[in-house]
Amino acid sequence: MTVKVYGPAYASATRRVLACFVEKGIEFEIVPLDLLKGEQKNPDFLKLQPFGLVPVIEDGDFTLYESRAIIRYYAEKYATQGTDLLGKTLEDRAIVEQWLEVEGQNYHPPLYTLVLQLMYYPKMGLALDHKVLEECEEKLGKVLDIYEERLSKSKYLAGDFFSLADLTHLPFTYYLLTETDKGYMIRDRKHVNGWWDDISNRESWKKVLQL
Amino acid sequence: MTVKVYGPAYASATRRVLACFVEKGIEFEIVPLDLLKGEQKNPDFLKLQPFGLVPVIEDGDFTLYESRAIIRYYAEKYATQGTDLLGKTLEDRAIVEQWLEVEGQNYHPPLYTLVLQLMYYPKMGLALDHKVLEECEEKLGKVLDIYEERLSKSKYLAGDFFSLADLTHLPFTYYLLTETDKGYMIRDRKHVNGWWDDISNRESWKKVLQL
């Protein structure tokens, strides 16, 4: 069964889902939405996703949103197909979940604000808020210092295996490196930089960027 | 095996874990930390939790942090013991995960800021930032409007069963109602209010509040 993915392929949260689908060898079809035209706020779409956010998946008559929930579902549903993204034991999965939460709660919020301001504010004619930018860079830097320590002892965040914990970092970290002048936050940390080179050179991520 | 829980029992994220443990009938022992003295930043504690945050659990030689990761692990490990908190099928669990993510990404951030400012700023002698408070109330209100619609059709967030998706809302919503003047955000929404009365009157939550 081909899974329908609503959301332009370039949207960061959609890319999180697509990277998972490519790793797992899941067939999908993208149903594009024009976010600039606000199609994610159309009544028909709000029936699928009441918050008006992408992505949403339709898999037969099953509908699901929130990218980090979608990748968990498919990693478990197709546990033995493609790349194992949850580890082999309950404890492996728990550590994957721990780092998924670290990403969602600690890493993503300051990174999101940095990328939003540096990437979009100039295009939208908005002034940068330098106080907020400094606070976010400081917060993200502290988180990355902990990542550096972790990755000095462990090849990937959850252990010696690539998992959802790593994959979930791809879309926004990619923006930090390619669309802002803050890439040194990754590049100047030896083990974070090596980890980034590893995970961003996976065939799955290269394919997602071409979609 | 008794699970050690580091963190004072009154800390909101610790309460999330304890509510899960009581629902599942898991034996635990609280190892108190004095957050006001900054014991969560002691070197010994940072070895367990490098971000310096509570709670952390120790279960034999297995250590785990991030409250939402801990509750997932125990809900799965003891799936057939105590209250079923993940549903019966993979699709049930996916919907539980969807609402766990909605809580973590959409509901918690504005609620956290509201509670932090209204509950702690006066005690710390800090001035309230009324612009930020207004923005957070507007954001949380929009999220609660979607909850109201959802809960008008479904007894609980993930379906007709109490789950981690509901449980994860308990600690901070409790503060909103008991420690701020914004309780009307819950009380004025009929179905959200009914849901809150239901989940906050569970024996597990009452027990957690007494610890």
Side-chain angles (χ1 to χ4, degrees), chain B residues 29-49:
Chain B
E29 167 198 349
I30 293 167
V31 184
L33 288 178
D34 191 330
L35 303 185
L36 293 177
K37 284 192 186 160
E39 289 182 353
Q40 72 279 23
K41 306 292 180 188
N42 285 352
D44 279 353
F45 186 73
L46 291 176
K47 282 181 196 159
L48 289 176
Q49 215 295 6

Side-chain angles (χ1 to χ4, degrees), chain A residues 6-203:
Chain A
Y6 289 81
Y10 63 79
S12 54
T14 308
R15 283 179 169 172
R16 184 177 285 124
V17 168
L18 297 178
C20 173
F21 282 11
V22 177
E23 290 283 351
K24 300 302 285 180
I26 295 166
E27 286 184 32
F28 60 87
E29 167 198 350
I30 293 167
V31 184
L33 288 179
D34 191 329
L35 302 185
L36 294 176
K37 284 191 187 161
E39 289 181 352
Q40 73 278 25
K41 306 292 180 190
N42 284 353
D44 279 352
F45 186 73
L46 291 177
K47 282 181 197 160
L48 289 176
Q49 216 294 8
F51 295 90
L53 299 169
V54 293
V56 179
I57 64 90
E58 271 188 329
D59 191 346
D61 58 4
F62 183 62
T63 300
L64 191 65
Y65 56 83
E66 283 291 334
S67 59
R68 296 176 188 84
I70 296 169
I71 62 178
R72 285 174 169 106
Y73 172 63
Y74 283 99
E76 188 170 359
K77 183 174 181 180
Y78 297 105
T80 60
Q81 175 180 316
T83 310
D84 173 15
L85 296 171
L86 291 171
K88 300 199 184 317
T89 66
L90 273 185
E91 286 69 32
D92 286 347
R93 173 157 187 175
I95 300 293
V96 171
E97 293 286 355
Q98 172 183 290
W99 288 99
L100 272 165
E101 283 296 323
V102 167
E103 186 271 336
Q105 293 295 320
N106 301 330
Y107 184 88
H108 182 73
L111 175 58
Y112 175 80
T113 302
L114 278 176
V115 166
L116 182 73
Q117 286 213 12
L118 295 172
M119 190 170 163
Y120 290 108
Y121 273 29
K123 294 177 191 171
M124 296 158 72
L126 295 170
L128 298 181
D129 186 330
H130 291 284
K131 180 161 173 282
V132 166
L133 286 174
E134 273 173 34
E135 286 170 0
C136 287
E137 181 165 348
E138 191 188 337
K139 276 187 197 173
L140 183 61
K142 285 184 181 170
V143 172
L144 282 169
D145 287 343
I146 294 167
Y147 279 42
E148 178 67 6
E149 168 72 11
R150 169 71 180 171
L151 293 166
S152 73
K153 294 173 185 160
S154 175
K155 188 171 180 191
Y156 298 102
L157 286 171
D160 61 0
F161 59 102
F162 176 79
S163 74
L164 291 186
D166 308 294
L167 181 150
T168 191
H169 288 79
L170 285 164
F172 266 89
T173 310
Y174 177 79
Y175 282 147
L176 185 78
L177 281 152
T178 59
E179 301 282 348
T180 81
D181 59 356
K182 303 287 180 192
Y184 60 84
M185 298 188 73
I186 302 297
R187 293 299 179 209
D188 288 355
R189 289 174 169 89
K190 180 181 165 191
H191 296 97
V192 171
N193 188 44
W195 165 77
W196 176 255
D197 280 344
D198 180 336
I199 68 172
S200 64
N201 277 300
R202 291 181 72 88
E203 290 306 315

